[in-house]
Amino acid sequence: MENYEEDFLEDDDFIINFPPEVQKAIEQVLPSKDPLDQPDFNTIDYINSLFPTEQSLSNIDEVVIKMENKIQTIDNEISTVVRGQTTASSDGRQALDEAQKVIKQLFVHIKDIKEHAEKSEEMVREITRDIKQLDCAKRNLTLAITTLNHLHMLVGGVDTLKSLQEKRLYGEIALPLQAISEVMTHFEAYSDIPQIKNLSDQVKQIHVELAEQITHDFKEAFGGSVKINLPNKQLSQACLVVSILEPRVKKDLLKWFVNLQLQEYNHLFQETEDTAWLDKIDKRYAWLKRHLLEFEEKLGNMFPTNWEVSERIAVQFCYDTRDELSKLMVKRKHEIDVKLLLYAIQKTTNFESLLSKKFMGITINEEKEKNVKSPFHLLIGKCFIPHLKIYIDSIDSNLSDLIERFQQDEKFQSNSEHLTSNAIVLPSCADLFVFYKKSMIQCTQLDTSQSMLDLTRTFQKYLREYSTKLLQNNLPKLEQSSSLGTSVQSMITRDLQKISTSGLIQNFQSLLKEGESVRFTKDERMRICSVLTTAEYCQETTQQLSDKLKEKIDANLVDQIDLSQEQDHFHGVISNCIQLLVQDLENACEPALIAMTKIQWQNIDSVGDQSSYITALTTHFKNTIPTIRDNLSNSRKYYTQFCVKFANAFIPKFIRSIYKCKPINTEGAEQLLLDTHMLKTILLNLPTISSQIDRQAPASYTKVVNKGMTKAEMILKVVMTPIDSAKAFVEQYMKLLPDCQQGEFYKILDMKNVKRQEQTVLVEMLRTHKPNVEKEND
């Protein structure tokens, strides 16, 4: 077996290894399970499989014979395949030769087809060339015939026009004149030909002569010694001819005719006449109405409809009137008052509106003066714009009187009446803005440029005056009162008497005297709320006024409309009102806080119910808050601001009062902590105190109360912490009051009645644990 293995190992170089792709293809074409056909065939393994033992070698001859037979069979198959390939190669060559012969024949055929195609293409080009020549000849022939026809028309037409012109047969001239004018456009390219130029000059001369002739006929008919009063057929036909001539002819003729129609008007209303002044301005407009009726009845049908002669008369009337009034008002400006000016403007506005309804304003477009609002708007009224300062001054004077009347009314109400219901916007405020609205609408009809800007500045002036004179100056002032409210005084007195019997306080009457507060009456608080709601209304309405003014004024002046400062004035009034209400409630609480600091907290021996000063505070809240809440029911955001500002002002003051409660023992600190917790609960419910409606307090307010009162509670918890261990005390302080500084630490130590020497040790320890602590003075 070993010898066989060596022999086969020597023949390893003869093994053929196919790539995986080739091997896969072979397996698909010639599937076989014979070990000899496998790609991983191993000779040694195969021989070992044939002769697994030495005894099996006895069959080696049979195996060899079997192998030789198999080899012989494979050789025969190979020979057969080789012979078959030889025969196939011979057949393939023969087929290739035949294919080449066919390709040569096909090439010959293609060449013949190409030659025939080239000949056909040349033939088509020759045919097309002939057709193009024929088309060109046809066009030239057609053009020549057309030109000859036009020339014939032109030659004959010129003679005809001359004849008709001499006879003034305008009705027969219009059509041939239009036709010849159109024919002349075809000969513009031949103007260098003498004959054509001669005919062109004759046509132009006919145009000129017709224009002069028709103009002369009109002037003779309307401006001569004998005027016609009825529509003239010949002149009506002449208008048709004028429409064909140059536009300048029609323009000049209409200008002359319109001025002729207004001669009487300009004479009747010249500046020396009594009817020329503003107080007779309606007579001017009445004249035009009569004249237009007369003109349309007698002469309206003479002119083509598209000439718009009636409208042209009306437009020129407006221009003449505007110019004359402008000059007249400059000369007699001292005679103009606001009443006369507004009368003239009103009459003029009505007349312009009437013209806008009757006419489309087509001729105004030609003059490039058409207004965006209506065709005739301010066509006359422009003359009044330079004098509108009189109107603005009148508005200023009226507003001044209005503000003074408002002041008198408010003064009378303050002295004679008391507010008995929820705060409302002062009636004067609505009256002011109604006046503003009317003035703005009126000014919009007069002028939307500089006058509107001047009116805006007048509005600004009196908005500021209203905020100062009617609102700010109408706020009540705090005056020093002589005593506390009876109920509060008796309550605190009773409580302090109980404490006095225990030896905790001696002179409570002097305490009450020190705690006297300055308060508003209920009516005064209601008036403050009324001023606040009025200022809020003014602030919002001023923004609307600003938007409306920007909408009405000319686009190039919009950026100059700015009422933000006036809004700031009203916002300042609102802030003052809130501050007064806060100050009033603070003053109410002051006696109770003073009483709190006067209690002998070091002598408290037991913790009971809430102290009397908490009850007093609660009473003040119940007596004050509902009135303010009811009167600001329509201004919820400012009521919330009031509550937040009060909390921000009162809680720090309460904490300062806590620091004044010194010295204090543990029981006193516990009592004070109980009072603080009760006050915190009261403050959290302060916005809805004594309300029938269960409404949650605003989150912004709740946050302020929780933060401030929690600090007060933490201060008292630190005070209750024993100083048996200085380190433990400092750590507890830093844990409960991480943001407090050295000054507050001293205050807490003073409350605990810690000696100065011990305070120094504790402060040094605090600095050790909190190096960045700020030093503050007590």
Side-chain angles (χ1 to χ4, degrees):
M1 288 295 291
E2 293 178 359
N3 292 335
Y4 282 113
E5 290 178 5
E6 292 175 358
D7 292 340
F8 278 100
L9 289 172
E10 291 174 358
D11 295 337
D12 238 4
D13 294 337
F14 297 99
I15 297 176
I16 298 175
N17 295 317
F18 296 107
E21 297 82 1
V22 177
Q23 185 63 42
K24 184 177 180 181
I26 292 173
E27 291 176 355
Q28 291 177 349
V29 176
L30 299 171
S32 174
K33 295 183 179 180
D34 193 330
L36 293 173
D37 295 330
Q38 302 305 313
D40 57 350
F41 174 75
N42 188 293
T43 56
I44 296 175
D45 292 341
Y46 183 70
I47 293 172
N48 287 334
S49 66
L50 294 176
F51 306 103
T53 62
E54 292 182 2
Q55 289 77 9
S56 62
L57 290 174
S58 59
N59 297 327
I60 191 171
D61 292 336
E62 295 178 3
V63 173
V64 170
I65 293 171
K66 185 177 179 181
M67 287 295 177
E68 288 176 349
N69 291 335
K70 189 169 185 178
I71 291 171
Q72 184 64 37
T73 302
I74 293 173
D75 287 341
N76 292 336
E77 291 177 353
I78 293 173
S79 298
T80 302
V81 172
V82 170
R83 285 195 296 273
Q85 288 296 323
T86 302
T87 304
S89 176
S90 177
D91 295 341
R93 183 176 295 280
Q94 183 180 355
L96 181 61
D97 291 339
E98 292 177 356
Q100 288 177 342
K101 291 178 181 179
V102 172
I103 291 172
K104 288 180 180 179
Q105 293 174 358
L106 180 61
F107 179 76
V108 172
H109 286 301
I110 292 173
K111 186 176 181 182
D112 292 341
I113 293 171
K114 183 177 181 183
E115 290 175 354
H116 283 86
E118 290 176 351
K119 292 179 181 179
S120 299
E121 185 178 356
E122 181 63 26
M123 186 181 297
V124 170
R125 279 199 296 268
E126 292 177 358
I127 294 172
T128 305
R129 188 182 303 113
D130 294 339
I131 293 173
K132 288 181 179 178
Q133 290 176 350
L134 291 173
D135 286 343
C136 182
K138 180 182 177 181
R139 284 197 302 271
N140 290 335
L141 182 60
T142 303
L143 180 61
I145 293 172
T146 303
T147 302
L148 287 174
N149 287 334
H150 288 164
L151 185 60
H152 176 72
M153 291 173 58
L154 185 60
V155 173
V158 169
D159 294 336
T160 301
L161 286 178
K162 288 182 178 179
S163 174
L164 294 175
Q165 176 192 342
E166 293 175 357
K167 298 176 182 179
R168 283 182 163 79
L169 298 176
Y170 299 127
E172 300 178 23
I173 289 177
L175 289 178
L177 181 64
Q178 179 70 33
I180 290 175
S181 298
E182 293 176 358
V183 167
M184 281 304 303
T185 60
H186 296 286
F187 289 99
E188 290 178 355
Y190 308 103
S191 58
D192 54 339
I193 300 174
Q195 292 81 354
I196 300 299
K197 186 176 185 303
N198 182 39
L199 289 171
S200 176
D201 292 341
Q202 291 184 46
V203 172
K204 290 179 180 177
Q205 183 61 31
I206 291 173
H207 277 239
V208 172
E209 291 176 356
L210 280 172
E212 293 176 351
Q213 182 175 305
I214 292 173
T215 302
H216 178 268
D217 290 347
F218 266 91
K219 289 185 178 180
E220 282 294 319
F222 291 98
S225 57
V226 179
K227 297 183 180 180
I228 64 171
N229 294 321
L230 296 174
N232 186 289
K233 183 178 180 181
Q234 187 178 29
L235 293 181
S236 179
Q237 294 172 345
C239 291
L240 300 178
V241 177
V242 171
S243 296
I244 301 171
L245 300 177
E246 289 184 8
R248 180 185 57 81
V249 178
K250 171 186 169 183
K251 181 178 180 181
D252 291 344
L253 180 61
L254 284 174
K255 182 178 180 181
W256 168 81
F257 182 78
V258 169
N259 288 333
L260 181 66
Q261 296 298 305
L262 294 175
Q263 275 185 354
E264 179 186 356
Y265 168 73
N266 292 327
H267 176 73
L268 291 175
F269 294 91
Q270 58 185 322
E271 63 179 63
T272 57
E273 298 294 330
D274 181 60
T275 54
W277 189 228
L278 298 180
D279 59 345
K280 304 291 193 306
I281 197 170
D282 55 328
K283 295 185 179 297
R284 293 175 178 267
Y285 307 142
W287 181 91
L288 181 66
K289 294 175 188 177
R290 291 194 304 270
H291 185 77
L292 287 179
L293 289 173
E294 182 181 349
F295 167 77
E296 291 175 357
E297 180 182 351
K298 296 179 179 180
L299 302 175
N301 294 331
M302 177 184 294
F303 299 94
T305 305
N306 61 355
W307 281 26
E308 300 288 349
V309 179
S310 294
E311 180 180 308
R312 291 178 187 275
I313 295 173
V315 171
Q316 189 60 45
F317 170 86
C318 292
Y319 293 153
D320 291 351
T321 302
R322 184 176 70 191
D323 294 341
E324 289 301 316
L325 288 177
S326 295
K327 292 185 292 185
L328 192 60
M329 284 191 289
V330 170
K331 292 181 179 180
R332 303 174 62 175
K333 62 181 179 181
H334 297 297
E335 300 178 37
I336 305 174
D337 57 27
V338 67
K339 184 178 180 180
L340 179 61
L341 180 65
L342 291 180
Y343 169 79
I345 291 174
Q346 185 62 48
K347 292 294 183 181
T348 302
T349 301
N350 294 340
F351 177 69
E352 290 173 342
S353 177
L354 179 64
L355 293 181
S356 296
K357 294 176 182 178
K358 181 174 178 59
F359 301 115
M360 298 296 295
I362 299 173
T363 60
I364 302 178
N365 279 336
E366 294 177 3
E367 298 292 336
K368 297 182 180 178
E369 288 201 32
K370 187 173 181 180
N371 192 279
V372 293
K373 295 183 179 182
S374 64
F376 289 84
H377 180 64
L378 291 181
L379 205 59
I380 301 174
K382 284 183 180 179
C383 66
F384 300 116
I385 292 178
H387 304 275
L388 286 179
K389 189 177 185 305
I390 299 173
Y391 167 72
I392 301 299
D393 291 343
S394 172
I395 295 294
D396 186 287
S397 177
N398 290 338
L399 281 172
S400 178
D401 294 341
L402 196 62
I403 293 295
E404 184 176 353
R405 179 168 64 81
F406 289 162
Q407 286 181 278
Q408 294 298 326
D409 292 346
E410 290 299 325
K411 183 177 180 181
F412 174 76
Q413 291 178 6
S414 299
N415 294 334
S416 62
E417 297 180 7
H418 295 281
L419 297 174
T420 57
S421 59
N422 292 348
I424 58 173
V425 175
L426 297 178
S428 59
C429 177
D431 293 342
L432 177 69
F433 283 104
V434 167
F435 184 88
Y436 274 16
K437 181 179 179 181
K438 291 180 178 178
S439 301
M440 181 176 62
I441 293 174
Q442 192 174 44
C443 188
T444 302
Q445 298 173 348
L446 307 178
D447 178 31
T448 56
S449 56
Q450 185 60 43
S451 299
M452 184 66 77
L453 193 59
D454 293 340
L455 181 67
T456 300
R457 289 167 181 161
T458 302
F459 285 171
Q460 290 174 297
K461 172 184 175 181
Y462 286 98
L463 284 173
R464 291 190 295 268
E465 285 206 12
Y466 187 87
S467 69
T468 302
K469 296 180 179 179
L470 270 299
L471 298 182
Q472 188 64 49
N473 293 349
N474 200 31
L475 291 173
K477 308 247 181 333
L478 284 172
E479 298 178 358
Q480 191 69 26
S481 62
S482 59
S483 62
L484 293 171
T486 306
S487 59
V488 177
Q489 183 179 12
S490 60
M491 179 179 57
I492 296 179
T493 302
R494 184 171 58 253
D495 194 67
L496 292 179
Q497 284 176 341
K498 293 180 181 178
I499 299 176
S500 178
T501 57
S502 302
L504 300 181
I505 188 169
Q506 300 299 325
N507 194 351
F508 57 87
Q509 291 295 342
S510 62
L511 181 150
L512 291 177
K513 186 175 182 181
E514 292 177 9
E516 292 177 355
S517 64
V518 180
R519 293 299 312 277
F520 288 128
T521 65
K522 181 179 179 180
D523 287 345
E524 287 174 331
R525 285 193 290 274
M526 293 177 67
R527 177 160 293 279
I528 293 172
C529 292
S530 181
V531 170
L532 188 153
T533 55
T534 302
E536 180 186 15
Y537 174 83
C538 289
Q539 185 183 36
E540 295 173 354
T541 311
T542 299
Q543 179 60 53
Q544 298 172 11
L545 176 65
S546 176
D547 296 340
K548 208 65 179 177
L549 287 168
K550 289 179 180 179
E551 176 186 326
K552 298 295 184 182
I553 202 168
D554 291 348
N556 61 318
L557 298 175
V558 168
D559 293 339
Q560 298 188 44
I561 302 294
D562 183 10
L563 273 61
S564 58
Q565 291 187 0
E566 287 66 39
Q567 289 180 275
D568 291 342
H569 274 275
F570 291 118
H571 188 268
V573 173
I574 293 172
S575 298
N576 288 343
C577 291
I578 294 175
Q579 188 58 42
L580 284 174
L581 294 173
V582 170
Q583 184 180 355
D584 176 64
L585 189 53
E586 278 190 88
N587 290 346
C589 298
E590 189 67 25
L593 294 180
I594 293 175
M596 164 188 168
T597 61
K598 297 300 182 180
I599 295 176
Q600 302 295 320
W601 294 101
Q602 77 276 19
N603 296 330
I604 300 294
D605 53 8
S606 63
V607 179
D609 295 333
Q610 68 179 26
S611 301
S612 58
Y613 68 90
I614 297 296
T615 304
L617 289 174
T618 304
T619 300
H620 287 307
F621 294 152
K622 289 181 177 181
N623 289 338
T624 304
I625 295 297
T627 301
I628 298 174
R629 182 178 61 237
D630 293 342
N631 281 271
L632 296 182
S633 59
N634 295 324
S635 302
R636 297 296 303 176
K637 64 177 180 179
Y638 293 121
Y639 175 66
T640 300
Q641 284 188 24
F642 158 74
C643 293
V644 171
K645 284 191 175 183
F646 173 74
N648 277 321
F650 173 76
I651 294 176
K653 185 178 291 187
F654 177 73
I655 291 175
R656 290 194 296 271
S657 298
I658 288 178
Y659 285 132
K660 294 178 182 179
C661 297
K662 58 184 180 181
I664 187 171
N665 60 16
T666 302
E667 289 76 9
E670 290 179 355
Q671 178 65 50
L672 192 52
L673 179 61
L674 172 65
D675 293 342
T676 301
H677 178 74
M678 296 298 295
L679 180 60
K680 178 180 180 181
T681 302
I682 294 168
L683 289 176
L684 287 173
N685 296 318
L686 185 68
T688 57
I689 193 170
S690 299
S691 175
Q692 302 297 324
I693 301 175
D694 186 12
R695 178 182 294 174
Q696 191 173 2
S700 57
Y701 172 79
T702 302
K703 182 179 179 181
V704 171
V705 173
N706 279 326
K707 181 179 179 181
M709 294 305 292
T710 298
K711 179 180 179 181
E713 291 174 332
M714 294 303 104
I715 291 173
L716 293 171
K717 288 184 179 181
V718 173
V719 172
M720 292 166 59
T721 302
I723 316 182
D724 297 338
S725 170
K727 180 180 179 181
F729 178 79
V730 171
E731 289 177 349
Q732 180 71 351
Y733 169 78
M734 294 174 58
K735 177 182 178 182
L736 297 177
L737 296 169
D739 297 330
C740 284
Q741 305 302 325
Q742 180 177 315
E744 291 181 306
F745 188 62
Y746 272 120
K747 293 176 182 178
I748 290 174
L749 295 179
D750 286 341
M751 290 179 69
K752 293 180 66 66
N753 202 22
V754 178
K755 296 179 181 179
R756 286 295 175 182
Q757 185 177 359
E758 296 179 6
Q759 287 187 10
T760 303
V761 175
L762 291 169
V763 171
E764 289 300 325
M765 185 169 293
L766 175 64
R767 291 177 181 172
T768 302
H769 285 75
K770 193 176 181 181
N772 60 342
V773 66
E774 297 181 5
K775 293 183 179 180
E776 297 180 358
N777 295 326
D778 290 347

